[in-house]
Amino acid sequence: MKNNKLKAWLYLLPAIAFLGIFMVYPLVDVFVYAFQEGFNFASQTYKGVGWHNFSYVLRDPYFLQAIKNTFIIVIITVPASTGLALLISLGLNSIKPLKNLFQTVYFLPYVTNTLAVGLVFMILFKKTAYTDGLVNLIISWFGGEGIDFIDGPYWAKMFVMCFYTVWVVMPFKILILTSALASVNEDYYKAAKIDGTSKSRIFFRITLPMISPMIFYLVITGFIGAFKAYSDEVAIFGTDLNVAGMNTIVGYVYDMLYGDSGGYPSYASAAALILFVIVLTITVINLMVSRKNVHY
Amino acid sequence: MKVVLDHLTKRFPNRAKGEPDVIAVNDFTFEIPDGKLIGLLGPSGCGKSTCLNLISGLEKPTSGKVWFGDTDVTGLEPENRGVGLVFQNYALYPHLTVRQNIMFPLQNLKGADKLSKEEMLSRAEEAARMVQIEGLMDRKPSQMSGGQQQRVAIARALVKMPRVLLLDEPLSNLDARLRLQTREEIRRIQRETGITTIFVTHDQEEAMSISDQIVVMKLGVLQQIGQPQEVYNDPINLFVAQFLGTPAINTFSGEVKGGQVFIGDEAVLPAPGVPDQKVFVGIRPEGFIPDENGAFSLDLTRIEVMGRDISVVATHPQAQSPSVRAIISSESEVGAASKKVRFSLKPKKVFLFAAESEERIRF
Ligand SMILES: Nc1ncnc2c1ncn2[C@@H]1O[C@H](COP(=O)(O)OP(=O)(O)OP(=O)(O)O)[C@@H](O)[C@H]1O
Ligand SMILES: [Mg+2]
């Protein structure tokens, strides 16, 4: 018996060592950094232990801006992309001809590099000395006034950002949802049809519960992904996100570590921990909501 | 409610490109009398489900009509036909409880038919009582056995008091024992409610045991309709004869010459008035009588004692199957040591079929 236990631990040792070195140790390190006040990177010394890093970060206007941006992106893009993906998947599922073609088209952004998609968005939205950008041309063609979406007002930039994020995350969601919809047994719909069930009732009472595990999966990963957004912002607004006013929490962490004004692992760690707490809270709320509404 | 199929035909475009259309149901004309249980029987892919779907309205016929009583329902949507359908895999909604599943059809009712919550609950209770699952109302389908799920499916089909009940291979997911029990149950429920019922199966024994009438079909074509015993005793062609009965009928290639049926060079039975021709001879397993002076001889392989009966397994060069099976009463004497066993035949258990068309030749 005892021998067996020892053996079990022995077998687990490589995995534990691996996880310990590459996951637990950095996590602990982040924790330690976050609470070391006045840490000096060059001499690897610190002055004391406490909450100072957190209070600094939470009073930093750049961080507050990053939190605001991140939350706006999360709150807009997660429901919008999931809802749109569901609509498109339902449409795809109900057409027979050209279904494969459409599926491929919708999937293209997923296999395309983020930066390339970002470039396309620049061409669409950016004002330069030579052109106002395609979208502005269309707006002015309809008699509207052109806006600089990349260097203009905050809401315009945020609009492009959300549009872009939805665009980038949607293909994956469509892929997941179309296969979820296709895997619902046809007999359920036949049974419902025999019983004279209305279209909306079929959707809300049969289809939605049947694919609810997949929707739940998409919402959770969507939230987490959107909270960790950074590269998409860089793709459109460049690396100086603070100046553009479009920084995100992860962007802030990066800037604190490696940016032009970087070299503050303590502040970066504090910001990262704050993000961690936010994501954890949201995920727990998600799980609690799902208990009631997700049917496995 | 009597159900009449009138030259009903359904074609599907072939799934393989360039092949001709599949005629899943080919010119069906028959009448299902009010309050009877009909067994729709045939091998896999012969169009049984399609036939059922045409009756339920899930599929629209290419041509022909469906009548419920005196109304032409061909153009009606499924929900307006008043049919209940039970699927092979039950198709119970997994996220709903038994009660919610049974109530589901009632909640769809609109306008004048709309029921109050209390009425729905009591109707659901009633339906559940009929199939004896009233104690399981708050379970989810996944928490029940296959047989119980099957009952829920039947209750869900019955709760809206359909005029016609359709069952598509309802027992094929159950184990042998439960199958036996559930089919009796279906028979009882059908008798109690008096709902005209169509029961699809590819298991001939199942169909024979509970149906008032069986309809045998093959490749979309109706072969024979009748009471089970009638069809068994008087098959119209070789296919029907081979499809019905366990163990299956023994088929031999033979010949009619001068009013005698020959299998090999043995004249096994007189067939007065039948013109000389090549034939298939079908002999039911119970059609053999051990007889030392019998006209028909088989090469004995082994003898299986099954209590009341003895099954004689043998071979014959003219047989269409590798082994021939004869069922005889256990009182009769068959020398297990002998190589050849001789039988005389019961004329009523021997059928002749034309070699080309495989149609029955009566004599
Ligand atoms: N939607 C369809 N499109 C094309 N062919 C079809 C379609 N539905 C059925 N068929 C064809 O029609 C024929 C009859 O099918 P059906 O499902 O009615 O058979 P079945 O008797 O119910 O078989 P089983 O016992 O296997 O359930 C088959 O050859 C099948 O391939
Ligand atoms: Mg079928």
Side-chain angles (χ1 to χ4, degrees), chain B residues 48-49 88 168-169 200:
Chain B
K48 304 180 297 288
S49 298
Q88 178 175 343
D168 193 352
E169 310 212 16
V200 164

Side-chain angles (χ1 to χ4, degrees), chain B residues 233-270:
Chain B
N233 287 334
D234 194 9
I236 196 168
N237 59 27
L238 183 59
F239 172 80
V240 175
Q242 285 179 330
F243 198 71
L244 297 185
T246 26
I249 197 166
N250 302 296
T251 314
F252 304 88
S253 57
E255 202 176 346
V256 176
K257 259 193 305 208
Q260 291 282 335
V261 181
F262 282 85
I263 298 177
D265 43 19
E266 292 172 324
V268 296
L269 206 68

Side-chain angles (χ1 to χ4, degrees), chain A residues 185 187-188 190-198 201 205-206 209-210 295, chain B residues 56 58 79 83 85 87 89 91-95 104-105 107-108 156 160:
Chain A
N185 193 327
D187 283 349
Y188 293 122
K190 284 192 193 162
K193 200 157 173 236
I194 293 266
D195 294 337
T197 318
S198 66
R201 188 150 193 260
R205 292 285 280 171
I206 300 175
M210 294 270 184
H295 309 276
Chain B
S56 70
L58 286 173
E79 66 253 38
V83 296
L85 184 53
F87 293 86
N89 58 4
L92 295 176
Y93 307 121
H95 52 285
F104 197 91
Q107 290 161 338
N108 289 327
R156 186 177 67 180
K160 48 181 187 170

Side-chain angles (χ1 to χ4, degrees), chain B residues 1-2 31-39 164-165 187 190-191 194-199 210-213 227:
Chain B
M1 179 72 46
K2 119 188 140 177
E31 183 179 321
I32 299 161
D34 185 23
K36 294 285 188 229
L37 198 163
I38 298 291
V164 178
L165 181 62
R187 181 73 203 162
Q190 196 273 330
R191 286 251 166 80
I195 296 175
T196 310
T197 302
I198 304 172
F199 181 100
I210 65 167
S211 312
D212 294 312
Q213 281 198 6
Q227 288 171 13

Side-chain angles (χ1 to χ4, degrees), chain B residues 12-15 22-25 42-51 59 88 168-169 200 202 217:
Chain B
F12 288 114
N14 203 309
R15 289 186 182 120
V22 177
I23 308 180
V25 171
S44 188
C46 71
K48 304 180 297 288
S49 298
T50 308
C51 185
E59 300 269 9
Q88 178 175 343
D168 193 352
E169 310 212 16
V200 164
H202 55 245
M217 54 189 293

Side-chain angles (χ1 to χ4, degrees), chain B residues 323-345:
Chain B
S323 70
V324 176
R325 209 172 257 275
I327 308 271
I328 55 177
S329 136
S330 59
E331 278 121 48
S332 37
E333 295 282 321
V334 179
S338 52
K339 276 240 153 77
K340 286 251 180 212
V341 264
R342 302 199 75 81
F343 295 97
S344 57
L345 302 176

